Amino acid sequence: MYDCHEATMRSLQSAAVSFFTLDLCLIWILFTISITTIKAGLERRPSEDCQLGHFPCGNMSICLPQVLQCNGQNDCPNGADEDNCGDNSGWADLFDQTFKRVYPQELSTECQLEQYPDRCQCINSEIHCVHVSLRSVPQVSANVTFLSLKSNEIRMLPDKAFIKNIKLERLFLQDNCILTVSIHAFSGLYKLQKLSLSQNCISLLSPGVFSDLHKLKWLILDDNPITTITANTFTGLNSLFFLSMVNISLEQLPPARLCTHMPLLSWLDFEGNRITTLGLSTLLACEHLTVLSLRANLIKSLPAKTFQSLRMMGDLDLSSNLIKELPISIFKDLPSLQILNLSQNPLDHIHPFQFNHLIQLQSLGLEGVEIPNIQTSMFQTMDNLSYIYFKKFQYCSYAPHVRKCKPNSDGLSSFEDLLANVVLRVSVWVMAFITCFGNLFVIGMRTVLRAENNLHALCIKVLCCADCLMGVYLFFVGVFDMKFRGEYNKNAKLWMESLECRTIGFLAMLSSEVSVMLLTYLTVEKFLVIVFPFNHLRPSKCQTFAVLTSIWLLGISIAAVPLLSEDMFGNYYGHNGVCFPLHSERLEKPIAKGYSTGIFLGLNLVAFLIIVVSYSSMFYSIYKTGIDATELRGRLHRDVAMAHRFFFIVFSDALCWIPIFLVKILSLLEVKIPGTITSWVVIFILPINSALNPILYTLTTSFFREQVELLWCHRQPRLKQDRKSFTSSVIYIDPSRSSYYHPQTSILVKDASYR
């Protein structure tokens, strides 16, 4: 009999040490989970039209899910899934169509010119005078075809500066700080095709300065302090194809017919200027314009028919302006538009039919734009749309037919999957298993084993029921992640608005709030028993049932209220893929935002502070009670053990709730919170209490060890009596001094019954 007792005690002592470290081990395991990436299977559909979220393999009858498009591997037999993976629509695509790549023939590098400065380099019929400190245009042979005078000290271009160079085709004059360009500076350059005057100090271009450049195709005027231009500035540029005036401090464009003297103009770049308005007829004569960039200007509004003559327009960039509203028909006359960039504008409203006429659009940029009224119908008519760029990942769910959407993840979900990475996918199942198994095990053991305090045991079982709901929530998140694997974006909107999402969100909120309130109740009850042992403040059976019922009713009310009125709370649980309303990048309704703040920073924060203060007071009371113990070493050992136990209870609460409090506070302060933080909080942090409560409130208690020992030794009465005297008290009482320490024993025995 004694051998059984001794063996049992050795085993239980070893187990006790293991239980105290189990919670730390559990946390460590959760943070080190990793498995290899799971490759989605190839879906084939032998029909001519592919279902939503799938794309055909070129002209074959095979369809692929979005996840296999542009993944670096040829999943189509003909490799069509890896074709055109870059967003080359618009400018780049049109450039390739206009200028076919020409591979130069092998030419001699010997100089064919007789006259050029010694400091310059001559190759064939080209002269390169770069960084040679020239102060004026040098005299060179008349048959020169290419002249580069970059990065010198030329301050002015006089009349007829190149009159002898009638065969000149390319002239580069950038980075000289040229101040003055005479009206006849380029006289005689009838064959010139490319002219670069960028990075100079030119402030004025006289009308007619380019009048002899009839064959000029490229004109680059970037980075000059030119504040005004007129239509006559470009007189003579009948063949001009490309005009770049980037960062030239331009404040306004000509009010009428900018392209009067440039009938073939196709590329026009005004990026980085100070343009505030566009006249209704400014672009009327630009019928051949295919690329127009007005990026990074100060444009506040655009007339409805600004682009009425640009039927060949393929690329329009209006990003980084001050546009607050767009006329509904502004894009009506752009049937050929392939790329449209409206990013980084303070748009207040986008009309649901704003893009209906853009049937050829392939790429749409809306980065940095809030779209509070976003809806699927905004993008449905754009059948050719392949790339779309939003401010928030959640907007991608409203364009399920596009090939690529950016941002492609919020850290929690991705374009392809509800859970963005393998660690989250595995962890949600691990946490669900640990939470459900641990709590169900405790419920079973508490039901089978005899309890010294039946009311306390009932509270623990009710707590486990609440915590088990968190495991159920995680289980369903894992199930729907598997269901939507590889095609989440096309189902995201329907999922977040579904009854299933609201139901599991309700379960998660119910579990969280009931668990918090039960832990607070158990803590206050234990506090009253330990700190005030003689006041008879223990609740009766009826009072306990009333408190438990009230907690559950209050928890159900808290979780259910947001479901009662969608007008007041919106889609409260459907702001993200995991259906938990902690943080959302979407605009929340004021009532929903206030309600969420009241729950997380009101009720939960107060409960957490009560738990921390109560356990601190309990430890101090127990420490003070045992201060007169004779065995100092034993007392210190017991104090350390008690401190460890209380520390882990408070630590688990802090580990769970402090990150949640911080996330909520940062959200209120409108600080951008990375999606990965939200994913860690919801999948790892939020369920920590639910996973650890069985360990802290049952598996590591002396009561549980006693009951396991009873089962181990076949419930022998004598052994039970010996064991009770051996393990019931936390502090050892010397028999010879028992009369002096009876009060302390009473306190600790009362405490033992509540563990």
Side-chain angles (χ1 to χ4, degrees):
M1 195 77 63
Y2 179 78
D3 292 339
C4 177
H5 172 76
E6 185 177 7
T8 300
M9 288 310 301
R10 284 199 299 268
S11 300
L12 289 174
Q13 288 172 356
S14 176
V17 176
S18 300
F19 281 132
F20 277 118
T21 59
L22 184 57
D23 43 4
L24 289 179
C25 293
L26 176 63
I27 296 168
W28 176 255
I29 290 171
L30 294 178
F31 280 85
T32 55
I33 295 171
S34 63
I35 65 170
T36 56
T37 305
I38 303 170
K39 181 181 177 182
L42 176 64
E43 289 189 23
R44 297 174 180 246
R45 185 170 177 260
S47 62
E48 186 170 344
D49 296 323
C50 296
Q51 62 181 350
L52 189 65
H54 289 67
F55 297 90
C57 288
N59 57 359
M60 300 180 68
S61 60
I62 299 174
C63 295
L64 289 177
Q66 289 168 326
V67 66
L68 297 183
Q69 294 282 332
C70 299
N71 64 351
Q73 299 180 8
N74 289 330
D75 297 296
C76 285
N78 59 0
D81 58 302
E82 298 303 315
D83 292 341
N84 302 317
C85 286
D87 187 359
N88 293 323
S89 50
W91 196 97
D93 190 43
L94 292 169
F95 187 88
D96 288 340
Q97 294 175 15
T98 306
F99 295 98
K100 303 298 182 183
R101 182 176 295 182
V102 178
Y103 296 95
Q105 300 177 352
E106 292 292 334
L107 298 175
S108 172
T109 59
E110 294 182 2
C111 182
Q112 300 178 11
L113 305 175
E114 296 180 357
Q115 184 182 9
Y116 62 90
D118 294 336
R119 292 173 287 177
C120 300
Q121 183 181 11
C122 176
I123 303 174
N124 199 0
S125 61
E126 302 178 358
I127 295 177
H128 298 266
C129 299
V130 180
H131 277 295
V132 293
S133 302
L134 293 176
R135 294 182 177 272
S136 61
V137 177
Q139 295 295 318
V140 296
S141 298
N143 59 336
V144 63
T145 59
F146 175 91
L147 179 59
S148 176
L149 302 177
K150 295 188 294 185
S151 303
N152 285 286
E153 300 174 9
I154 301 172
R155 296 294 181 263
M156 71 170 294
L157 297 178
D159 286 344
K160 302 180 180 180
F162 307 96
I163 191 66
K164 296 180 180 180
N165 310 123
I166 57 175
K167 294 185 177 181
L168 195 62
E169 296 179 356
R170 291 177 293 168
L171 176 59
F172 293 163
L173 294 165
Q174 58 262 46
D175 192 21
N176 273 284
C177 199
I178 297 172
L179 294 167
T180 306
V181 180
S182 299
I183 190 171
H184 299 298
F186 303 112
S187 294
L189 296 180
Y190 301 113
K191 294 186 177 181
L192 193 67
Q193 296 184 17
K194 291 186 179 181
L195 172 61
S196 177
L197 290 168
S198 61
Q199 297 173 306
N200 282 291
C201 304
I202 303 169
S203 58
L204 177 66
L205 289 172
S206 302
V209 68
F210 305 119
S211 58
D212 284 355
L213 307 184
H214 302 305
K215 292 190 176 181
L216 190 69
K217 293 184 177 180
W218 295 72
L219 177 58
I220 304 173
L221 299 169
D222 301 347
D223 299 299
N224 281 285
I226 304 172
T227 56
T228 59
I229 57 172
T230 66
N232 293 329
T233 301
F234 307 103
T235 300
L237 300 179
N238 302 327
S239 302
L240 193 66
F241 177 85
F242 180 93
L243 174 60
S244 179
M245 303 183 75
V246 176
N247 296 326
I248 64 169
S249 305
L250 196 62
E251 296 178 355
Q252 63 179 9
L253 295 176
R257 300 186 179 273
L258 172 66
C259 300
T260 299
H261 302 288
M262 302 178 288
L264 301 180
L265 187 65
S266 184
W267 258 266
L268 183 56
D269 194 345
F270 286 119
E271 178 182 344
N273 288 288
R274 301 174 185 173
I275 302 170
T276 57
T277 58
L278 277 181
L280 188 61
S281 57
T282 297
L283 302 172
L284 270 181
C286 302
E287 290 90 353
H288 290 86
L289 202 61
T290 56
V291 176
L292 173 61
S293 176
L294 292 165
R295 183 179 182 276
N297 278 277
L298 303 175
I299 300 172
K300 295 182 179 180
S301 62
L302 293 168
K305 295 186 177 182
T306 301
F307 310 116
Q308 59 182 319
S309 63
L310 308 181
R311 302 193 67 82
M312 295 180 62
M313 176 68 67
D315 185 333
L316 177 60
D317 191 347
L318 296 170
S319 61
S320 301
N321 278 281
L322 303 176
I323 303 171
K324 291 187 176 182
E325 186 176 359
L326 289 169
I328 185 174
S329 60
I330 191 168
F331 304 124
K332 180 180 179 181
D333 300 308
L334 302 175
S336 302
L337 196 64
Q338 296 179 23
I339 182 169
L340 173 62
N341 193 352
L342 298 171
S343 302
Q344 310 303 330
N345 276 290
L347 287 168
D348 295 329
H349 179 78
I350 295 180
H351 197 279
F353 308 111
Q354 191 83 66
F355 310 116
N356 274 17
H357 302 285
L358 303 179
I359 56 177
Q360 297 296 327
L361 198 69
Q362 298 177 19
S363 179
L364 176 60
L366 293 169
E367 293 177 284
V369 177
E370 290 282 357
I371 316 178
N373 64 321
I374 190 170
Q375 48 192 278
T376 305
S377 60
M378 286 182 176
F379 316 104
Q380 271 183 339
T381 57
M382 296 181 285
D383 294 332
N384 293 310
L385 191 64
S386 297
Y387 304 90
I388 193 164
Y389 305 88
F390 285 121
K391 178 180 180 179
K392 302 173 182 178
F393 166 73
Q394 284 78 10
Y395 291 163
C396 286
S397 62
Y398 293 89
H401 64 291
V402 301
R403 190 177 190 182
K404 289 291 179 183
C405 180
K406 300 288 183 179
N408 56 10
S409 175
D410 59 357
L412 183 59
S413 301
S414 68
F415 190 75
E416 296 87 5
D417 301 310
L418 193 155
L419 296 177
N421 57 63
V422 175
V423 174
L424 290 177
R425 294 173 207 152
V426 175
S427 299
V428 73
W429 287 103
V430 172
M431 291 298 297
F433 174 79
I434 291 175
T435 304
C436 287
F437 175 79
N439 285 285
L440 290 175
F441 175 75
V442 169
I443 292 173
M445 293 298 293
R446 289 270 183 181
T447 302
V448 172
L449 300 178
R450 183 187 64 82
E452 292 186 6
N453 188 323
N454 291 327
L455 293 180
H456 183 72
L458 175 63
C459 293
I460 294 297
K461 286 192 283 187
V462 172
L463 174 64
C464 289
C465 289
D467 289 335
C468 200
L469 290 179
M470 184 61 70
V472 173
Y473 159 76
L474 294 173
F475 171 78
F476 278 107
V477 170
V479 168
F480 283 103
D481 171 61
M482 294 183 65
K483 179 180 178 180
F484 300 138
R485 187 68 50 81
E487 48 187 30
Y488 172 66
N489 189 62
K490 75 172 187 178
N491 298 289
K493 184 174 181 293
L494 292 175
W495 158 242
M496 289 187 285
E497 293 177 352
S498 68
L499 177 62
E500 292 88 345
C501 180
R502 298 184 185 194
T503 301
I504 68 170
F506 170 83
L507 289 179
M509 180 65 81
L510 175 63
S511 171
S512 174
E513 297 311 306
V514 171
S515 181
V516 168
M517 290 187 286
L518 279 171
L519 287 176
T520 306
Y521 170 69
L522 289 171
T523 300
V524 171
E525 184 187 15
K526 185 180 289 188
F527 170 79
L528 295 175
V529 170
I530 292 177
V531 178
F532 306 104
F534 305 112
N535 289 350
H536 304 290
L537 295 176
R538 292 190 184 185
S540 65
K541 184 176 181 179
C542 292
Q543 290 173 332
T544 301
F545 276 109
V547 170
L548 295 180
T549 303
S550 300
I551 287 175
W552 274 97
L553 290 176
L554 181 57
I556 292 172
S557 300
I558 290 173
V561 164
L563 299 175
L564 300 179
S565 175
E566 191 165 343
D567 292 335
M568 295 174 61
F569 292 91
N571 188 7
Y572 188 75
Y573 291 112
H575 286 300
N576 53 52
V578 294
C579 309
F580 191 79
L582 175 61
H583 168 67
S584 173
E585 291 186 349
R586 299 186 187 184
L587 293 176
E588 293 182 280
K589 294 196 173 184
I591 294 178
K593 190 173 185 178
Y595 186 78
S596 178
T597 302
I599 297 299
F600 291 108
L601 294 183
L603 177 63
N604 293 353
L605 180 57
V606 170
F608 173 70
L609 293 176
I610 290 174
I611 291 173
V612 172
V613 172
S614 297
Y615 272 106
S616 301
S617 300
M618 282 188 280
F619 176 74
Y620 176 75
S621 178
I622 294 172
Y623 175 80
K624 186 177 179 181
T625 300
I627 199 68
D628 296 327
T630 55
E631 293 185 8
L632 181 60
R633 182 178 178 182
R635 181 176 66 81
L636 289 175
H637 176 74
R638 289 187 292 273
D639 286 346
V640 170
M642 183 65 66
H644 282 173
R645 176 171 174 74
F646 284 0
F647 168 77
F648 282 121
I649 291 174
V650 175
F651 176 73
S652 68
D653 290 329
L655 195 63
C656 174
W657 288 106
I658 288 180
I660 293 176
F661 297 148
L662 291 177
V663 168
K664 200 62 188 177
I665 291 172
L666 293 176
S667 178
L668 289 175
L669 296 176
E670 298 184 353
V671 176
K672 184 173 179 57
I673 302 174
T676 49
I677 300 296
T678 305
S679 66
W680 279 78
V681 169
V682 174
I683 302 300
F684 291 96
I685 305 300
L686 187 65
I688 278 181
N689 259 350
S690 299
L692 294 183
N693 282 341
I695 297 172
L696 295 174
Y697 289 91
T698 297
L699 301 181
T700 59
T701 61
S702 58
F703 164 75
F704 180 77
R705 295 199 299 271
E706 289 176 7
Q707 296 302 313
V708 171
E709 184 184 347
L710 282 174
L711 291 178
W712 201 330
C713 294
H714 308 292
R715 301 179 181 274
Q716 297 182 22
R718 182 177 177 181
L719 184 60
K720 175 184 173 183
Q721 186 66 29
D722 293 340
R723 184 172 56 257
K724 189 170 183 180
S725 64
F726 185 79
T727 61
S728 292
S729 298
V730 173
I731 299 179
Y732 173 78
I733 305 300
D734 189 343
S736 64
R737 299 170 61 97
S738 60
S739 60
Y740 296 98
Y741 298 101
H742 180 72
Q744 289 84 344
T745 304
S746 300
I747 295 174
L748 297 172
V749 169
K750 288 175 181 290
D751 175 43
S753 66
Y754 273 80
R755 295 180 193 172

